[in-house]
Amino acid sequence: MPRINKTIVLTLLVVTSSVFLLFQLYYYKQYFVSKNGSNLSDLKASYDVEDSVHWKVVKKFLKMVSIQNVPLYLIDPLVLGRLNENQRQQSTSSSGLKCKYLCFPREFTTFALLDKFWKNNASLKKAAEKEGFEWMELHGKDPRLAGMDGLSGTEIPLHCIFKMQNHAIHLVVFYERSGNYLWHGQLRLKQNADRKFVPFRKLHFGHHPGAYDKPELRLASIDGLEIHIPKKITHFLDEVSQSKFIECRYKEARAFYQLYPDDTSQEATEFRKKAKNLLQLAVKTLNGLRIPFWLSSGTCLGWFRQCSIIPYSKDVDLGILIKNYTPEIIPAFQKAGLPLKHKFGKVEDSLELSFQAHDVKLDIFFFYEEMHNMWNGGTQAKTGKKFKYMFPKFTHCWTEFLEMKVGVPCETLAYVEANYGRNWAIPVTSWDWKTSPSNVHEYGVWPISEWDDVIQVY
């Protein structure tokens, strides 16, 4: 009898625990959905225009800027994301008074404005006040005026917030920079009182400076409102996630040249000119193939340390993730007038390409990702020896270098230190690629039977 009671009790405990666990899972799911408001059903939901403060604020703002002759285009990632998803499902139109894109709950709707059209900002602010908007404009230094001459740049408008009721319009001011791209600055709050104006942490633009291609725009009807948007929404959304921009460190570069005066000889000047032309050609070619790349090795060190090409480096170095490799790279560079000089390794292991432009070489190193590290390989043509260069994992940022928009590792210091050690700031004119780097390791030898494939010299 006691044994039977024990079995019944255990069964009841198991059933009770299971029911309790199911209840917890159900409660968590409902809580998570209510907190985030971005589940699948929410993406498909539509709202009544009459009940949407968000839609009314956007409509009033667009009408106001239209009267003021201020051309804007929508860059809000949430709205564009919903629009893009519905375009894929071929259901972009909304019937009756229902809207799908501008009415769902959120704190901001974000628009972009080119700085050349930001001339009527005073009259726009007055008109906004008459319409019942509160506004805040945030400024910063103009990096286009910064450089080796020490100019810090004048103050320019970077962001403007127009708030009405519980919704705000975030206006991001984009500036055209010399590399034929658009840049926006970081949103910096100077007073604690500013932080109470709107929940700035929820902004999608402004946490860091950003760089974007010039978008081609099209006019779209979104929830009954005519709004300009990027024609290639998917491409723009991809840019948003990888837009972080970092400036060249001009202050540190000036300090470097005080210790180590610049080489202004004719030979150095001529090499810098050739290297710049080669880099421009490489950037154009890789951009045409839509292959992300970054400044690597000595070219990255030159940008980070002295905002220039190192005159004694004698080549240009770029890095590309091996997952972005395509066989089209070689013919594309050859078509651009850069013959292949050598091809080492293979796609599965230690691939490296070099192209020749007169007496300046372009090295493209392909990087392989591991759990905690990244590496690129090297091959000694005479012996078949393999070398591996280890780097800590890094993310992709943009910068402007020699009047070009190019990629660089966001964690540049760690990247440079891995390659050149803690004394990277001291010039080293004698460099052996097999022994000098701090991160080089011998990595075996290519089998002689593979040499015809993995060691190709032209």
Side-chain angles (χ1 to χ4, degrees):
M1 188 73 176
R3 184 176 297 174
I4 296 175
N5 290 338
K6 185 177 181 180
T7 302
I8 293 173
V9 170
L10 287 173
T11 303
L12 288 172
L13 285 173
V14 170
V15 172
T16 304
S17 299
S18 300
V19 171
F20 182 70
L21 179 60
L22 288 171
F23 174 77
Q24 282 185 313
L25 289 172
Y26 175 80
Y27 176 79
Y28 174 77
K29 180 181 178 182
Q30 296 301 314
Y31 175 79
F32 182 81
V33 168
S34 65
K35 288 290 285 182
N36 288 275
S38 59
N39 56 81
L40 185 60
S41 62
D42 180 62
L43 286 174
K44 294 180 179 178
S46 59
Y47 301 83
D48 290 323
V49 169
E50 292 92 341
D51 298 332
S52 174
V53 172
H54 312 82
W55 183 87
K56 292 176 182 177
V57 171
V58 172
K59 180 182 179 182
K60 180 173 283 192
F61 183 78
L62 289 177
K63 182 179 180 181
M64 180 183 69
V65 297
S66 177
I67 294 173
Q68 295 294 318
N69 245 349
V70 180
L72 307 177
Y73 61 96
L74 182 76
I75 59 170
D76 193 288
L78 295 179
V79 178
L80 290 176
R82 291 167 69 95
L83 184 64
N84 200 38
E85 183 63 28
N86 279 336
Q87 281 182 340
R88 290 175 182 172
Q89 298 172 5
Q90 296 183 344
S91 60
T92 58
S93 61
S94 54
S95 59
L97 296 176
K98 297 289 184 179
C99 69
K100 298 180 179 180
Y101 311 108
L102 300 171
C103 301
F104 68 95
R106 65 200 186 285
E107 287 79 6
F108 299 92
T109 302
T110 310
F111 290 87
L113 167 74
L114 297 181
D115 71 295
K116 62 183 178 182
F117 298 121
W118 194 230
K119 297 176 182 178
N120 300 324
N121 57 339
S123 59
L124 178 62
K125 292 168 191 173
K126 286 183 179 180
E129 290 174 356
K130 288 182 180 179
E131 292 292 337
F133 284 96
E134 298 178 74
W135 60 269
M136 172 189 292
E137 189 174 61
L138 298 147
H139 296 78
K141 298 289 186 181
D142 188 348
R144 298 171 300 176
L145 300 179
M148 295 304 296
D149 54 11
L151 292 176
S152 60
T154 57
E155 290 276 323
I156 54 174
L158 299 177
H159 299 264
C160 204
I161 311 289
F162 296 87
K163 182 177 72 171
M164 178 178 284
Q165 298 183 47
N166 64 342
H167 194 66
I169 303 296
H170 178 202
L171 194 56
V172 183
V173 184
F174 278 92
Y175 292 82
E176 185 174 342
R177 293 186 58 163
S178 57
N180 197 32
Y181 64 94
L182 299 180
W183 169 92
H184 73 75
Q186 184 176 7
L187 190 153
R188 294 183 182 275
L189 300 174
K190 298 182 179 180
Q191 299 179 10
N192 290 331
D194 294 344
R195 301 180 187 278
K196 299 178 181 179
F197 190 66
V198 288
F200 287 100
R201 290 184 179 180
K202 297 185 179 182
L203 287 174
H204 294 281
F205 295 83
H207 297 291
H208 53 71
Y212 293 82
D213 295 335
K214 287 183 178 179
E216 186 180 353
L217 303 178
R218 69 177 178 89
L219 191 62
S221 179
I222 304 177
D223 296 333
L225 303 177
E226 298 297 309
I227 303 174
H228 280 96
I229 63 172
K231 187 174 182 179
K232 299 178 180 178
I233 297 178
T234 301
H235 175 68
F236 180 79
L237 292 175
D238 288 341
E239 284 191 291
V240 173
S241 62
Q242 303 177 49
S243 64
K244 189 174 182 180
F245 185 95
I246 50 182
E247 299 287 349
C248 192
R249 308 182 321 144
Y250 290 112
K251 180 180 178 181
E252 289 78 3
R254 289 193 294 272
F256 171 82
Y257 282 122
Q258 287 180 351
L259 291 173
Y260 308 100
D262 192 15
D263 185 350
T264 58
S265 66
Q266 183 177 351
E267 182 182 1
T269 302
E270 189 64 24
F271 170 74
R272 285 196 179 102
K273 181 180 178 181
K274 292 178 181 179
K276 179 180 178 180
N277 292 337
L278 176 57
L279 183 57
Q280 285 176 332
L281 199 56
V283 169
K284 182 178 179 180
T285 303
L286 292 173
N287 285 345
L289 294 171
R290 293 196 174 280
I291 295 177
F293 67 92
W294 63 90
L295 303 182
S296 190
S297 303
T299 308
C300 184
L301 175 63
W303 165 77
F304 186 67
R305 185 176 68 187
Q306 56 210 72
C307 296
S308 183
I309 293 284
I310 298 175
Y312 51 83
S313 61
K314 302 305 179 186
D315 56 17
V316 173
D317 305 306
L318 300 178
I320 295 175
L321 291 177
I322 192 63
K323 67 180 182 182
N324 293 321
Y325 170 78
T326 169
E328 296 176 6
I329 290 179
I330 294 176
F333 274 98
Q334 290 175 329
K335 186 178 180 180
L338 297 177
L340 184 66
K341 181 178 182 182
H342 71 237
K343 178 183 178 183
F344 293 148
K346 51 187 176 180
V347 175
E348 298 80 16
D349 183 8
S350 305
L351 183 64
E352 174 190 346
L353 301 176
S354 286
F355 298 91
Q356 192 72 34
H358 303 294
D359 54 347
V360 182
K361 185 162 60 81
L362 170 67
D363 288 327
I364 299 181
F365 304 106
F366 290 89
F367 281 65
Y368 299 77
E369 296 182 85
E370 296 179 344
M371 179 133 343
H372 302 294
N373 300 289
M374 301 175 74
W375 62 274
N376 72 278
T379 296
Q380 188 177 28
K382 293 181 180 179
T383 63
K385 282 186 178 181
K386 300 168 63 180
F387 299 86
K388 180 183 281 190
Y389 302 82
M390 301 296 298
F391 294 85
K393 278 203 169 182
F394 56 88
T395 51
H396 185 278
C397 278
W398 295 107
T399 192
E400 183 171 313
F401 183 54
L402 305 178
E403 300 178 339
M404 287 173 273
K405 175 192 169 193
V406 295
V408 290
C410 297
E411 300 78 10
T412 321
L413 178 59
Y415 188 89
V416 168
E417 282 189 346
N419 215 175
Y420 297 97
R422 294 293 179 89
N423 294 324
W424 56 268
I426 301 174
V428 178
T429 56
S430 179
W431 187 261
D432 185 335
W433 63 271
K434 303 180 298 300
T435 58
S436 297
S438 301
N439 58 343
V440 65
H441 307 279
E442 288 198 19
Y443 183 45
V445 181
W446 289 108
I448 295 178
S449 60
E450 295 186 26
W451 279 26
D452 287 345
D453 294 324
V454 300
I455 303 175
Q456 299 181 24
V457 180
Y458 302 89

